[in-house]
C-alpha cells in the first residue's frame, strides 16, 4: 500500500556528519528552530569516531532520523540521505553550519510563487569556530537561467545553501561521488543546465570557516574546480570563448584568498603566490586590477619572510575587536533580540 503524500513532510533536510561532536548540536537546533515546521531531518552518520552519534541521539524530536554507515565522504553521504528523503523539496546542511530561522520558509515561499524554478538560494555570511561573524559573502541576485553566471563563480558559495526540488536531484543522479572537492558547484551547475533558479536576497546561511574544512585543501580544490569547469563548458560550449578566462581568473582569485587565511605559514604563502600568478595570467582586466594584485603580493612577501609578524598583527586586531564586542554585548542583548550582524533568533553558542 502506498503511503498518502499528505502524510509526508514537505521538506527533507539532510546533514552528513563525520566527527562533528562540537558543532552538530547547534546545527541541528538551527533546523529544529525553523519557522517552517513540515520537515524531516535526516542525519547521515558517516562513520564518526567521536561522540557525534551520542550528541544527535540525545536531541529528542520526532522529525529526526539517524542513519549510520561506514565512512565514505560527503558526496556519498548526501546521496545516501537523498535516497532516504521523502519530501517534495530537499536542502543539505553541513554539520558545522547554521541557518537563520526563516531560511526554509523564505525559500519554500519563492518556489511556490515561481513554479518554473526548481532551486531557491539565499546569501551567506561567514563565521568562526565561536559562531562569530568574520566576513560577508557574495550578494548576487540572479534568477531564471543562471548557468552562465555560475560558470563565472559559485555564487551560492556552499553546500548548505539551496532548497531544491527532490525530483530534479533524482533526475540528475545526485552528487558526483568521483569528485574530491567542488561537488556542490558541480551539482548547482548541473541543476542550472536544466532548471531555473530563484534568489531570496537575504543572509540565511552562516558558513563556518575552520582549519579542518575540506575547502582548505587547496591543491585538491584547484584540481576539482578545473574538472568541474571543463565539464561545464562542454555542456555549454557557446560560452567558452566569452568567459573561460574570467572563470579561471575568478577561481584563482578565490584560491589566492583562501591560501592567505590564517594560520599563516610559508607553505601557504608559496601556494598563494602560485595562485596569484595564475590569476594575473588569466584576468582580462589585469591592468585595472593591478592595485589588488600588488596589495596581495605584499601580503604574500610578508608571509614568506616573516609569517609570525602577520600573525601578531592580526591577533592584536582580533583582541581589540573582541574587547569592543564584549563592551557592547550587554547593550546588544538588552536592546534587541538579534545578534550583532542582524540574524534574528539564530541559534549560536560560543565554544
Amino acid at each position: 500500500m502506498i503511503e498518502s503524500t499528505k502524510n509526508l513532510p514537505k521538506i527533507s533536510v539532510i546533514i552528513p556528519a563525520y566527527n562533528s561532536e562540537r558543532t552538530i548540536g547547534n546545527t541541528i537546533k538551527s533546523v529544529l528552530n525553523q519557522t517552517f515546521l513540515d520537515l524531516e531531518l535526516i542525519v547521515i552518520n558517516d562513520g564518526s569516531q567521536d561522540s557525534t552519534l551520542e550528541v544527535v541521539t540525545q536531541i529528542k524530536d520526532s522529525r529526526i532520523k539517524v542513519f549510520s554507515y561506514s565512512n565514505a565522504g560527503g558526496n556519498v553521504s548526501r546521496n545516501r540521505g537523498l535516497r532516504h528523503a521523502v519530501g517534495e523539496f530537499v536542502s543539505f546542511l553541513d554539520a558545522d553550519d547554521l541557518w537563520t530561522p526563516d531560511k526554509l520558509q523564505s525559500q519554500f515561499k519563492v518556489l511556490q510563487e515561481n513554479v518554473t524554478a526548481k532551486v531557491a538560494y539565499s546569501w551567506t555570511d561567514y563565521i568562526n569556530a565561536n559562531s562569530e561573524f568574520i566576513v560577508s559573502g557574495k550578494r548576487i541576485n540572479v534568477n531564471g537561467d543562471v548557468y552562465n553566471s555560475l560558470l563565472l563563480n559559485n555564487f551560492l558559495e556552499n553546500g548548505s545553501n539551496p532548497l531544491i526540488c527532490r525530483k530534479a536531484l533524482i533526475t540528475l543522479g545526485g552528487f558526483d561521488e568521483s569528485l574530491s572537492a567542488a561537488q556542490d558547484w558541480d551539482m548547482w551547475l548541473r541543476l542550472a543546465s536544466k532548471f531555473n533558479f530563484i534568489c531570496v536576497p537575504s543572509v540565511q546561511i552562516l558558513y563556518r570557516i575552520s582549519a579542518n574544512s575540506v575547502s582548505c585543501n587547496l591543491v585538491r580544490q584547484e584540481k576539482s574546480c578545473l574538472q568541474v569547469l571543463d565539464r561545464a563548458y562542454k555542456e555549454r560550449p557557446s560560452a567558452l570563448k566569452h568567459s573561460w578566462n574570467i572563470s579561471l581568473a575568478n577561481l584563482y582569485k578565490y584560491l589566492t584568498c583562501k591560501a592567505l587565511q590564517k594560520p599563516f605559514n610559508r607553505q601557504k604563502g608559496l601556494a598563494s603566490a602560485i595562485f596569484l600568478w595564475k590569476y594575473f595570467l588569466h584576468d582580462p582586466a589585469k591592468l585595472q586590477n593591478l592595485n589588488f594584485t600588488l596589495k596581495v603580493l605584499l601580503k604574500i612577501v610578508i608571509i614568506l619572510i616573516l609569517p609570525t609578524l602577520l600573525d601578531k598583527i592580526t591577533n592584536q586586531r582580533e583582541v581589540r575587536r573582541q574587547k569592543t564586542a564584549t563592551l557592547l554585548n550587554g547593550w546588544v542583548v538588552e536592546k534587541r533580540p538579534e545578534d550583532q550582524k542582524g540574524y534574528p533568533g539564530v541559534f549560536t553558542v560560543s565554544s
Side-chain angles (χ1 to χ4, degrees):
M1 182 176 178
I2 300 175
E3 187 176 359
S4 172
T5 56
K6 68 181 180 181
N7 296 324
L8 299 177
K10 204 70 175 175
I11 294 177
S12 297
V13 178
I14 298 170
I15 301 179
Y18 175 70
N19 290 350
S20 308
E21 62 183 5
R22 294 172 128 190
T23 59
I24 194 167
N26 288 348
T27 298
I28 287 176
K29 287 175 183 177
S30 81
V31 177
L32 300 181
N33 288 343
Q34 291 292 301
T35 56
F36 189 94
L37 301 177
D38 188 14
L39 61 85
E40 64 172 350
L41 173 54
I42 298 170
V43 178
I44 302 297
N45 177 36
D46 188 30
S48 296
Q49 301 299 309
D50 63 0
S51 61
T52 294
L53 188 58
E54 288 79 358
V55 172
V56 175
T57 54
Q58 286 173 6
I59 301 173
K60 303 303 179 184
D61 192 296
S62 60
R63 294 173 294 175
I64 300 176
K65 302 172 184 177
V66 185
F67 302 91
S68 292
Y69 296 90
S70 58
N71 180 255
N75 292 358
V76 175
S77 293
R78 290 186 181 96
N79 287 339
R80 284 170 170 169
L82 184 59
R83 287 193 287 270
H84 287 291
V86 296
E88 181 181 353
F89 299 94
V90 172
S91 195
F92 301 92
L93 178 59
D94 289 349
D96 55 354
D97 295 341
L98 301 169
W99 286 341
T100 61
D102 60 343
K103 188 265 189 190
L104 291 179
Q105 184 77 53
S106 300
Q107 292 181 341
F108 178 78
K109 182 173 182 290
V110 297
L111 286 174
Q112 295 297 103
E113 294 171 349
N114 299 271
V115 294
T116 60
K118 300 303 178 185
V119 181
Y121 68 96
S122 307
W123 293 341
T124 296
D125 274 352
Y126 293 83
I127 59 176
N128 63 15
N130 295 324
S131 301
E132 298 165 336
F133 171 80
I134 299 176
V135 67
S136 297
K138 299 179 178 69
R139 299 292 189 260
I140 293 177
N141 184 352
V142 292
N143 301 293
D145 181 359
V146 304
Y147 195 85
N148 287 344
S149 297
L150 266 176
L151 280 172
L152 298 182
N153 60 69
N154 178 15
F155 58 81
L156 273 69
E157 301 192 63
N158 57 80
S160 298
N161 190 333
L163 180 66
I164 309 162
C165 175
R166 181 167 64 93
K167 288 183 179 179
L169 284 166
I170 293 172
T171 298
L172 295 175
F175 288 83
D176 184 347
E177 297 179 5
S178 69
L179 287 171
S180 59
Q183 57 267 21
D184 55 340
W185 190 17
D186 173 73
M187 186 74 257
W188 312 155
L189 279 163
R190 288 194 286 130
L191 284 164
S193 72
K194 306 291 184 185
F195 308 105
N196 286 343
F197 282 44
I198 187 75
C199 177
V200 176
S202 178
V203 174
Q204 296 181 322
I205 297 90
L206 307 181
Y207 182 85
R208 195 182 306 275
I209 296 176
S210 68
N212 297 322
S213 63
V214 171
S215 58
C216 286
N217 190 323
L218 299 175
V219 174
R220 180 172 60 185
Q221 189 86 351
E222 178 190 18
K223 180 180 177 181
S224 294
C225 285
L226 290 174
Q227 184 179 343
V228 167
L229 278 175
D230 182 64
R231 180 161 55 191
Y233 274 102
K234 287 177 180 175
E235 174 72 21
R236 195 168 292 190
S238 60
L240 182 62
K241 65 178 181 178
H242 301 293
S243 56
W244 174 252
N245 280 333
I246 299 175
S247 294
L248 290 180
N250 287 338
L251 169 61
Y252 284 113
K253 184 177 182 180
Y254 163 79
L255 291 171
T256 301
C257 294
K258 285 292 293 183
L260 291 175
Q261 290 177 354
K262 295 177 68 176
F264 304 120
N265 57 60
R266 289 188 175 89
Q267 183 179 2
K268 290 176 69 178
L270 182 59
S272 63
I274 295 171
F275 291 142
L276 182 65
W277 174 244
K278 292 180 179 180
Y279 159 73
F280 185 77
L281 286 178
H282 293 288
D283 185 13
K286 54 174 63 71
L287 294 180
Q288 294 93 315
N289 297 327
L290 195 57
N291 190 42
F292 165 82
T293 303
L294 292 175
K295 285 182 178 179
V296 173
L297 183 60
L298 176 60
K299 186 173 182 179
I300 292 171
V301 170
I302 294 173
I303 291 174
L304 290 174
I305 298 174
L306 293 169
T308 56
L309 175 62
L310 202 56
D311 260 323
K312 287 179 181 178
I313 294 172
T314 54
N315 287 340
Q316 288 171 355
R317 288 178 179 172
E318 179 66 17
V319 168
R320 287 197 295 269
R321 188 192 66 79
Q322 288 179 353
K323 285 181 178 179
T324 303
T326 300
L327 289 172
L328 294 174
N329 185 58
W331 182 87
V332 171
V333 172
E334 286 182 16
K335 299 296 181 182
R336 56 179 183 159
E338 58 191 65
D339 75 2
Q340 295 177 48
K341 280 300 293 179
Y343 313 124
V346 69
F347 188 92
T348 60
V349 172
S350 295
S351 59

